[in-house]
């Protein structure tokens, strides 16, 4: 009986030693965000309401937010949620970044419709218009406070507009980019399943 208990304990110890270590909690600081008012802060913090295992604390004065997540996968989902809420910034983590998923390619265009931007007030709108106007060839835009969509017109590099907005702390996507990305993922998944 004692011999069997010792063997059972030894087996349990072997399983514990070979089990992969649990991932450590991840903290990511996001800087250069546009946080001009309390509504911006609420927008960032509210973006994670549906992301279980993650929280974020925004600092309006410094234009930063500190994201805490239970693991890297959760942190990636949280960064995606912050981007979908219309915010962009630089992270202090080598692998966890807010990616450009705008769907906008480099090259001259005359009209670009962008969606998903955070534009809660006059301060946001002023910063958005300044970022867009900094791009050569832009002649007009339809940015308005409280609206998450806008159109840019002129003869300009579309990707340069996206990059100027990202640099100013705003995240955007071309209209239809999210649907195109989802369709490509589905096509790839269907192709992978057909190969099996």
């Amino acid at each position: 009986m004692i011999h069997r208990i010792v063997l059972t304990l030894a087996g349990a110890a072997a399983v514990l030693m070979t089990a992969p270590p649990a991932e450590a909690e991840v903290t990511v600081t996001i800087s250069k965000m546009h946080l001009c008012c309390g509504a911006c802060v609420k927008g960032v913090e509210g973006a994670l309401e549906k992301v279980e295992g993650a929280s974020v604390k925004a600092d309006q004065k410094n234009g930063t937010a500190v994201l805490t997540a239970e693991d890297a996968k959760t942190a990636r989902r949280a960064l995606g949620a912050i981007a979908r809420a219309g915010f962009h910034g630089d992270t202090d983590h080598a692998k966890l970044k807010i990616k450009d998923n705008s769907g906008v390619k480099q090259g001259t265009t005359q009209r670009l419709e962008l969606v998903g931007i955070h534009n809660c007030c006059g301060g946001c709108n002023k910063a958005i218009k300044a970022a867009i106007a900094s791009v050569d060839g832009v002649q007009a835009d339809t940015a308005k406070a409280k609206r998450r969509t806008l159109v840019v017109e002129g003869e300009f590099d579309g990707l340069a507009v996206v990059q100027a907005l990202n640099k100013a702390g705003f995240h955007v996507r071309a209209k239809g980019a999210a649907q195109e990305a989802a369709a490509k993922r589905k096509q790839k998944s269907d192709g992978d399943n057909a190969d099996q």
Side-chain angles (χ1 to χ4, degrees):
M1 178 75 170
I2 292 173
H3 183 68
R4 193 175 295 158
I5 291 171
V6 170
L7 284 176
T8 304
L9 288 173
V15 168
L16 286 174
M17 290 189 319
T18 58
E23 275 198 65
E25 187 176 83
V26 178
T27 301
V28 180
T29 300
I30 311 163
S31 59
K32 299 180 185 173
M33 300 179 82
H34 179 86
L35 300 172
C36 70
C37 67
C40 291
V41 169
K42 283 183 183 174
V44 172
E45 294 177 352
L48 298 194
E49 283 178 1
K50 294 182 180 175
V51 182
E52 207 170 306
S55 64
V56 66
K57 184 73 178 145
D59 180 344
Q60 181 185 338
K61 183 180 173 187
N62 294 309
T64 61
V66 177
L67 165 67
T68 306
E70 61 190 15
D71 54 37
K73 184 178 179 182
T74 305
R76 263 187 222 92
R77 284 196 350 260
L79 288 169
I82 290 168
R84 283 189 299 280
F87 298 93
H88 201 89
D90 296 337
T91 70
D92 65 349
H93 195 284
K95 294 182 180 176
L96 297 170
K97 306 286 181 194
I98 296 180
K99 296 177 182 171
D100 171 17
N101 62 350
S102 66
V104 177
K105 304 286 183 234
Q106 187 170 14
T108 303
T109 188
Q110 294 178 333
R111 187 177 190 278
L112 180 62
E113 189 168 356
L114 298 170
V115 300
I117 197 163
H118 175 84
N119 191 357
C120 71
C121 66
C124 288
N125 200 57
K126 185 178 178 182
I128 288 165
K129 284 186 169 289
I132 293 169
S134 73
V135 177
D136 289 342
V138 168
Q139 294 172 356
D141 71 74
T142 63
K144 284 192 172 125
K146 310 275 187 199
R147 290 199 185 159
R148 290 181 52 87
T149 63
L150 61 99
V151 175
V152 182
E153 294 180 320
E155 193 151 339
F156 57 91
D157 182 339
L159 186 58
V161 169
V162 171
Q163 290 171 340
L165 287 166
N166 289 169
K167 188 176 176 185
F170 300 97
H171 195 84
V172 291
R173 295 182 313 278
K175 185 176 183 183
Q179 292 85 347
E180 283 178 30
K184 282 181 185 174
R185 282 194 303 273
K186 185 178 184 325
Q187 191 176 26
K188 184 181 184 310
S189 173
D190 290 348
D192 290 347
N193 290 338
D195 292 341
Q196 293 176 358

